[in-house]
């Protein structure tokens, strides 16, 4: 444990250093008008992202499969699943509630100039998403989770579909142990080798993170930050309070100090910050909870892939703040009824959001249309979405880590 904690510290420090260096380099390039230099650095970030993504399919397939084999019975699997989903919904609801309270106190949208327009291409993207409606989106998520062709699901990296296929394959193997033995051996080795590969990828993480940061900062519209400072503060404050909340339950269930939990989760949180993708961060998250927090393999193998796909506290909080901000800016109806609708729809829209950059912005159109707010409002917050995505994705990933700790602690105390 001691040496793994040291490793985690070293990893976290290197990645944090890379983020700070990337931030400074990006700012220098931005203010000296040399943004194009960032394009030369970008390929390093792209290579890092691709390496992470390369591991997702074998990791999700083998880890869910092996989790089921290790859990040993469909009943236990059901209880693990139920615990995880209860945790997801509870913490997501808390996140949205925090967002709503903060945005109603700070009121960042009052007095904002609503002159901004969306381009035709952007409008059609958001309209397509909102016209589906909330119920259809949720039903769509469930129906879409079942793959018709598991190989296509893997080829297209549809994580939820891969999870469902692995669950079926795991259960049928559990019930037919003898026939499944060669497959179990194969999956066990795929899973172990994936973890070794992740260790290797972690060694180049600081370079990748530096490149991603430099590119994002150099190419962001930093001017927009000034006009939207109050809105950004509301989102960041909300995310910070939620992080404290997660830290409290994490340290309560893990029986260790909040600082220990935070340190252990820093490598995945910082990677999430620089990639803005919970899915791409999954390999590193898996590594961190097993090595740094001692979460049992069978819990993390099952709970983390599911969490990365459907548990997004940061996104849910962000959506509630953004939608109320738009309502305030346009002087729309902010009645309790509307806020309750936003509370419910933002929680569910976060479940429907893919674990990739900018996904939360797209599902936000569902929340807006549920309360009849104009989709045009998205134009007001578009400029700072990428930056806020970095923060909300970190909290999404932190929520997944804490969730695994919580579920694991209940499993162990059984
Ligand atoms: N980027 C987020 C994630 O991957 C989703 C979002 O856009 O909010 O977790």
């Amino acid at each position: 444990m001691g040496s793994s904690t040291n490793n985690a510290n070293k990893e976290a420090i290197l990645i944090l250093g890379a983020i700070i260096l990337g931030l400074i380099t990006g700012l220098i390039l931005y203010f000296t008008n040399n943004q194009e230099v960032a394009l030369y650095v970008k390929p390093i970030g792209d290579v890092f992202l691709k390496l992470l993504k390369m591991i997702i399919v074998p990791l999700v397939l083998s880890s869910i499969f092996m989790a089921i084999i290790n859990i040993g019975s469909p009943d236990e699997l059901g209880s693990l699943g139920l615990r995880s989903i209860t945790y997801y919904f509870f913490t997501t609801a808390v996140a949205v509630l925090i967002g709503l309270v903060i945005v109603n106190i700070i009121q960042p949208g009052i007095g904002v100039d609503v002159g901004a327009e969306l381009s035709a291409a952007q409008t059609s993207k958001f309209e397509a998403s909102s016209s589906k409606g909330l119920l259809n989106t949720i039903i769509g998520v469930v129906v879409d989770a079942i793959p018709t062709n598991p190989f296509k699901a893997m080829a297209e990296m549809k994580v939820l579909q891969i999870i469902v296929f692995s669950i079926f394959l795991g259960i049928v193997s559990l019930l037919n142990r003898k026939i499944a033995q060669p497959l179990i051996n194969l999956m066990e080795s795929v899973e172990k080798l994936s973890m070794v590969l992740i260790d290797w990828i972690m060694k180049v993480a600081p370079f990748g993170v530096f490149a991603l940061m430099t590119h994002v900062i150099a190419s962001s519209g930093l001017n927009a930050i000034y006009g939207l400072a109050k809105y950004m503060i509301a989102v960041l404050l909300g995310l910070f309070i939620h992080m404290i909340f997660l830290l409290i339950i994490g340290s309560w269930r893990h029986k260790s100090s909040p600082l220990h939990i935070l340190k252990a989760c820093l490598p995945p949180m910082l990677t999430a910050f620089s990639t803005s993708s919970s899915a791409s961060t999954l390999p590193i998250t898996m590594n961190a909870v097993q090595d740094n927090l001692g979460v049992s393999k069978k819990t993390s193998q099952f709970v983390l892939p599911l969490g990365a796909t459907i548990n997004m506290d940061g996104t849910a909080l962000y959506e509630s703040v953004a939608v109320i901000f738009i309502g305030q800016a346009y002087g729309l109806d902010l009645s309790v009824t509307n806020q309750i609708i936003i509370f419910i729809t933002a929680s569910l829209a976060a479940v429907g959001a893919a674990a990739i950059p900018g996904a939360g912005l797209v599902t936000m159109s569902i929340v807006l249309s549920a309360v009849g707010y104009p989709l045009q409002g998205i134009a007001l917050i578009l400029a700072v979405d990428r930056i806020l995505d970095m923060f909300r994705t970190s909290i999404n990933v932190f929520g997944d880590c804490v969730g695994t700790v919580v579920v694991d602690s209940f499993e162990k105390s059984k």
Side-chain angles (χ1 to χ4, degrees), residues 272 275-280 308 311-312 314-316 318-319 353-363 385 389-390 392-394 396-397:
T275 59
S276 286
S277 165
S278 309
S280 304
N311 179 42
M312 296 195 185
T315 300
Y318 168 76
E319 294 199 6
I356 54 172
L361 195 66
V362 178
T363 58
D385 180 70
D389 199 358
M390 300 162 88
R392 66 181 189 252
T393 309
S394 299
N396 288 346
V397 166

Side-chain angles (χ1 to χ4, degrees), residues 48-49 51-64 88 157-160 162-163 166 191 194-195 197-199 201-202 265 267-273 275-291 297 299-312 355-356 393-394 396-401 404:
F48 173 57
L49 267 184
L51 287 172
L52 287 176
K53 287 184 182 162
M54 181 177 84
I55 298 295
I56 294 176
V57 173
L59 180 69
V60 172
L61 183 71
S62 62
S63 65
I64 295 264
Y88 298 155
M157 224 158 82
K158 298 219 159 136
V159 179
L160 213 48
I162 303 173
I163 292 176
S166 317
E191 194 261 327
S194 301
M195 294 309 285
L197 273 177
I198 293 163
D199 274 337
I201 297 171
M202 278 308 283
C265 299
M269 284 173 81
L270 295 173
T271 311
F273 185 77
T275 59
S276 286
S277 165
S278 309
S280 304
T281 311
L282 178 63
I284 293 178
T285 319
M286 189 74 90
N287 204 6
V289 292
Q290 286 180 10
D291 286 4
K297 259 186 139 187
T299 312
S300 53
Q301 282 171 333
F302 183 79
V303 180
L304 272 184
L306 198 62
T309 330
I310 63 174
N311 179 42
M312 296 195 185
I356 54 172
T393 309
S394 299
N396 288 346
V397 166
F398 188 48
D400 297 335
C401 294
T404 319

